[in-house]
Amino acid sequence: MKQLLQNIKDGKTIVEEVPIPTPREGQALVKVSSSLVSAGTERMVVEFAEKSYLGKARSRPDLVKQTLDKAKREGIMPTVQAVFNRLDQPMGLGYSTAGTIVALGKNMQGFKVGQRVACAGGGYATHAEYNVVPRNLLTPLPKNVDFESASFTTLGAISLHGFRLAETQLGENVAVIGLGLLGLLTIQLASAAGCNVLGVDIDPKRVKLASSLGIQAVTRPQAEATASAFTANRGFDSIIICADTSSNDPVELAGVIARDRAKVVATGAVGLNFPRKVYYEKEIAFINSRSYGPGRYDLNYEENGQDYPIGYVRWTEGRNFQAVVDLMASGKLNVAPLISHRFDIEEGVKAYEVITGKKKEPFLGVLLTYPERKMKEERKVEFPSIVHRPTSVVKLGVLGAGLFANSTLLPVLKNNKDFELVGIASSGGLHAQHSGKKFGFHYATSSEDEIINDPKINTVAILTRHDTHADLVLKALKAGKNVFVEKPLAVDSRQLQQ
């Protein structure tokens, strides 16, 4: 399958052929029809990757501190090696897609093959022809919501969570500063909730687009005078900042147009040097919104499928996703006018030339589309240029392509003539593809069975997560393979006895 990747080390954005991933328990395999490029998060990733090593260090002093701390604990050379291995790992870009379920892992009650869904999450809802997505990051689509609209679901949930944090009520006055994608989604959500909404932006074209959606909007020079008239000099009950700028102007403007004890919520990345006087005198509350809603960054929720009780957490990120697609279905949230560009996945690199300003053309919603190709058994990608070593004693297959494999084991084996590196597997396929090409394997796959049942392989190295070791050891031994397994051999006495 085709997947859009970012190399953090050399800054290159490329489309690669990667094995179709294999769904684990609690995951679905989704054939993607449309994905949305984030002009904020993804642009920052690409621009970071394009910097020199010194530029990367200057832009992320937090990571520099972590590196120095590691060097003090473990020494300079191991730290340098770890950093370069981390930088060398390809990153799957994207986090907002829509498509059709084509396969299910175990324990996926409530979902079925052929079901249309919106998908969310970095590392899951990537710009690829196929994705494996955990259950709590999947949202069923109503019949009248098309895939292009549904690919906006994740960004819609970011906007909705920011709006919820403002705790705005029916009939209140809401100002939205910044009318990019998040801002144009937010003004529609606030209007649908029965609020009186005013949008503000520095770009007259975006102001005009907001007006075409039925929302009053003005340019920045008009903002303060319009705000006074709009609120009868009372000030806004809440201000939601959706701008993407290092300037402090959005925060300063929010303070000026806020009423006494108003709330200001930032969903965009903006300067945060607060003018103390106005925020103190009005006792303004400020909240930095964290992504899609409760559940975000909680591995038990996102990866293990443990939902929060609705009586205690009404609006989780998953329930926000569902609310967004329901608003699309009812016509209260219209994203079609926000689409400015469409690129086939084969030309995905061009999308990043647009959002990083290389093409010097205006943009808003940038979509990637995926051709209707019949699903083939593409869980395996071969590297035909690799030379066979008929005299090698060990014909090795590797399960797991993580940091240990790439930094410790495979560099030692790469030039050892006693080893022929035949195949390497990772469940997502991406890391196996990268390691397979880097270390000279004949093929990469997302299927562990491909490795275990390959007659060309006589030895299997198991470098996966600890809780998978015992089962994989048993499968490999039963297949007649020699086995090398990283510690631990098992995680409980039952597995050890088996």
Side-chain angles (χ1 to χ4, degrees):
M1 69 170 188
K2 302 292 184 186
Q3 181 168 5
L4 189 62
L5 302 174
Q6 179 64 53
N7 188 305
I8 301 297
K9 187 176 181 180
D10 63 19
K12 292 181 180 178
T13 308
I14 55 174
V15 176
E16 283 270 51
E17 193 71 32
V18 176
I20 293 176
T22 300
R24 294 175 175 170
E25 182 175 358
Q27 295 178 334
L29 178 64
V30 178
K31 184 180 186 301
V32 179
S33 294
S34 180
S35 62
L36 177 67
V37 177
S38 165
T41 304
E42 292 181 59
R43 190 195 74 243
M44 286 192 290
V45 170
V46 173
E47 290 178 344
F48 173 80
E50 290 175 344
K51 295 178 187 291
S52 65
Y53 289 136
L54 181 59
K56 288 180 173 73
R58 284 174 172 168
S59 65
R60 291 297 304 272
D62 57 321
L63 295 182
V64 173
K65 185 179 184 303
Q66 288 179 25
T67 302
L68 293 174
D69 290 343
K70 183 179 177 68
K72 290 176 184 177
R73 293 193 311 270
E74 302 175 22
I76 293 176
M77 290 309 296
T79 300
V80 170
Q81 184 182 42
V83 168
F84 278 97
N85 275 308
R86 185 71 70 183
L87 287 172
D88 193 43
Q89 292 297 309
M91 175 181 287
L93 294 165
Y95 59 85
S96 189
T97 69
T100 305
I101 294 175
V102 293
L104 293 169
K106 295 179 181 178
N107 296 325
M108 284 296 289
Q109 294 82 2
F111 293 94
K112 60 184 179 182
V113 171
Q115 189 171 17
R116 299 165 66 252
V117 290
C119 313
Y124 295 114
T126 61
H127 302 308
E129 290 185 282
Y130 293 87
N131 281 314
V132 286
V133 187
R135 61 178 306 117
N136 281 350
L137 298 177
L138 291 168
T139 304
L141 294 180
K143 291 181 180 179
N144 61 337
V145 176
D146 60 83
F147 287 127
E148 286 195 347
S149 297
S151 65
F152 282 79
T153 299
T154 310
L155 263 73
I158 295 172
S159 298
L160 183 55
H161 180 56
F163 176 74
R164 294 196 193 286
L165 289 175
E167 297 183 329
T168 307
Q169 300 183 45
L170 180 71
E172 289 192 337
N173 297 317
V174 178
V176 177
I177 301 173
L179 298 176
L181 272 186
L182 285 179
L184 290 166
L185 292 168
T186 302
I187 59 174
Q188 294 186 69
L189 294 171
S191 179
C195 298
N196 307 310
V197 188
L198 176 69
V200 180
D201 200 275
I202 59 174
D203 186 346
K205 292 180 180 177
R206 293 188 175 182
V207 168
K208 185 177 180 180
L209 180 53
S211 299
S212 73
L213 295 170
I215 308 295
Q216 185 175 346
V218 295
T219 56
R220 173 63 180 91
Q222 302 170 293
E224 293 175 34
T226 305
S228 295
F230 191 94
T231 64
N233 292 317
R234 295 189 182 95
F236 283 93
D237 299 291
S238 56
I239 300 94
I240 302 174
I241 302 174
C242 301
D244 180 15
T245 175
S246 58
S247 168
N248 293 303
D249 183 64
V251 168
E252 293 169 1
L253 174 61
V256 171
I257 64 177
R259 67 161 168 82
D260 191 56
R261 293 180 176 81
K263 279 193 175 181
V264 176
V265 177
T267 60
V270 293
L272 295 178
N273 290 324
F274 295 93
R276 184 181 186 280
K277 187 174 187 296
V278 67
Y279 274 74
Y280 171 78
E281 290 177 348
K282 293 184 178 180
E283 204 173 67
I284 296 170
F286 180 89
I287 302 173
N288 240 328
S289 178
R290 187 178 66 183
S291 208
Y292 329 144
R296 185 70 180 117
Y297 308 115
D298 179 351
L299 296 183
N300 282 326
Y301 179 91
E302 292 192 331
E303 294 188 6
N304 299 332
Q306 295 179 11
D307 203 354
Y308 300 154
I310 194 169
Y312 292 90
V313 185
R314 177 61 183 91
W315 293 110
T316 60
E317 59 178 320
R319 291 192 266 273
N320 278 338
F321 298 146
Q322 190 64 60
V324 168
V325 297
D326 288 344
L327 286 166
M328 291 178 183
S330 68
K332 294 176 182 177
L333 182 61
N334 183 12
V335 300
L338 311 186
I339 300 171
S340 63
H341 291 75
R342 293 178 178 85
F343 295 98
D344 187 284
I345 182 60
E346 297 269 11
E347 299 181 315
V349 175
K350 292 181 180 178
Y352 293 86
E353 293 174 354
V354 170
I355 68 170
T356 56
K358 294 184 178 70
K359 281 188 171 286
K360 299 189 184 302
E361 58 186 70
F363 66 90
L364 199 57
V366 179
L367 294 182
L368 297 182
T369 59
Y370 300 79
E372 284 294 328
R373 296 197 302 175
K374 188 175 180 181
M375 182 177 176
K376 298 180 292 185
E377 287 300 317
E378 293 176 342
R379 299 190 192 280
K380 179 177 175 182
V381 171
E382 297 184 349
F383 308 111
S385 61
I386 304 301
V387 178
H388 287 269
R389 294 177 176 175
T391 60
S392 298
V393 177
V394 178
K395 310 294 184 181
L396 187 68
V398 175
L399 301 180
L403 193 59
F404 176 81
N406 283 280
S407 64
T408 304
L409 186 65
L410 296 182
V412 176
L413 301 182
K414 181 179 180 180
N415 298 315
N416 189 320
K417 294 180 181 179
D418 290 333
F419 288 79
E420 181 170 1
L421 306 183
V422 181
I424 184 167
S426 65
S427 62
L430 171 58
H431 293 298
Q433 185 268 354
H434 175 71
S435 300
K437 183 184 290 187
K438 179 178 179 180
F439 292 104
F441 284 83
H442 295 295
Y443 68 84
T445 178
S446 65
S447 170
E448 61 192 35
D449 291 338
E450 182 82 40
I451 299 293
I452 290 172
N453 297 323
D454 187 343
K456 299 186 185 70
I457 290 173
N458 62 22
T459 305
V460 174
I462 297 172
L463 316 174
T464 53
R465 295 181 311 182
H466 294 173
D467 61 335
T468 66
H469 287 183
D471 288 341
L472 292 175
V473 167
L474 289 171
K475 288 178 71 173
L477 289 174
K478 288 176 182 177
K481 309 296 184 185
N482 303 298
V483 175
F484 169 84
V485 59
E486 256 305 308
K487 62 181 186 297
L489 177 63
V491 295
D492 58 41
S493 57
R494 179 190 60 80
Q495 288 184 347
L496 185 61
Q497 185 61 38
Q498 288 178 319

